Amino acid sequence: MIKGATRRRTYKAIYRLLDRVSPVPFDCGTICGAACCNAAASDEEMGIMLLPGEEKIHDRKADWLEWESLSSDEYELPGTWKGKIYFVRCKTPPHCPRKMRPIQCRSFPLLPHLSEDGELTLVYNDYELPYVCPMIEEEIELDERFIKATTTVWKHLIRDPLIYDMVWGESRAREMDDE
Ligand code: SF4
Ligand code: SF4
């Protein structure tokens, strides 16, 4: 298991803060058949990666999730990540205990991005996806409270050096792709 600096109680506080917001004021799953949740559960290449230590607030025996652990070497991750990382897949998408959705689900369709001078912003998810997310494609206006809370959360998360390294690496790769 990769030992991050983010504590269990911090993850709990983050989940509580993000429980209060949604990207849009309606169930966006109704416009696309919950494409992201269904893909995360059925596509071998997908799944939801937990951040280092995020697994501590999940019950490995909970019946709605399937767990897989992979060595960090098998995955494109920062060199500072040494050990096992956890991927989860939902067994009954799009239904899940809402309060237990991982951070990856809660941030979507946004991702954290660090500029060269270390400023954190959020950008639309720009990874190749096996489905079309209308929120990204049509740039549907996202709720200000969601953007604000998600920014606050990522500003906190990147205080963990491992999470900082991940966001930094992904940001540099994104900038190279944009050139
Ligand atoms: S986030 Fe995008 S893909 Fe997922 S349910 Fe909402 S609109 Fe659909
Ligand atoms: S945890 Fe919930 S929101 Fe996230 S992929 Fe599973 S069903 Fe969808």
Side-chain angles (χ1 to χ4, degrees):
M1 172 175 90
I2 292 178
K3 281 204 175 18
T6 313
R7 297 173 158 214
R8 191 170 185 268
R9 68 164 186 264
T10 304
Y11 278 118
K12 283 194 160 181
I14 286 173
Y15 275 31
R16 276 199 302 272
L17 174 66
L18 295 179
D19 278 345
R20 296 197 225 127
V21 294
S22 283
V24 284
F26 58 90
D27 177 1
C28 58
T30 55
I31 52 176
C32 64
C36 55
C37 297
N38 289 317
S42 61
D43 190 313
E44 284 287 303
E45 303 287 309
M46 302 289 287
I48 305 158
M49 191 184 84
L50 300 183
L51 293 173
E54 193 179 359
E55 74 281 355
K56 285 186 265 186
I57 62 167
H58 284 271
D59 174 4
R60 297 284 299 268
K61 296 193 188 105
D63 58 4
W64 63 285
L65 278 184
E66 241 174 53
W67 288 73
E68 187 180 6
S69 66
L70 286 179
S71 158
S72 53
D73 307 335
E74 296 169 55
Y75 205 69
E76 245 177 75
L77 285 167
T80 47
W81 288 43
K82 305 252 181 259
K84 295 272 179 207
I85 47 166
Y86 291 100
F87 281 86
V88 292
R89 283 196 178 81
C90 300
K91 292 185 184 168
T92 54
H95 305 291
C96 61
R98 193 175 155 77
K99 285 185 179 304
M100 292 313 296
R101 285 168 304 139
I103 287 173
Q104 188 179 319
C105 298
R106 293 165 186 262
S107 295
F108 197 81
L110 300 177
L111 287 174
H113 179 86
L114 277 166
S115 67
E116 287 274 8
D117 55 8
E119 193 193 343
L120 183 105
T121 51
L122 297 176
V123 294
Y124 274 106
N125 187 313
D126 51 2
Y127 288 106
E128 208 171 303
L129 299 170
Y131 57 88
V132 174
C133 170
M135 282 211 276
I136 299 173
E137 289 302 305
E138 294 162 31
E139 296 196 1
I140 294 174
E141 191 181 349
L142 303 180
D143 188 285
E144 273 305 319
R145 288 175 59 241
F146 165 77
I147 297 172
K148 203 168 156 204
T150 309
T151 307
T152 302
V153 159
W154 278 104
K155 279 189 175 159
H156 200 90
L157 284 169
I158 57 171
R159 291 187 199 160
D160 181 330
L162 294 181
I163 299 178
Y164 184 94
D165 289 349
M166 177 192 81
V167 177
W168 177 263
E170 290 176 354
S171 303
R172 299 292 70 74
R174 177 173 301 115
E175 283 178 357
M176 278 172 69
D177 286 349
D178 288 349
E179 276 171 15

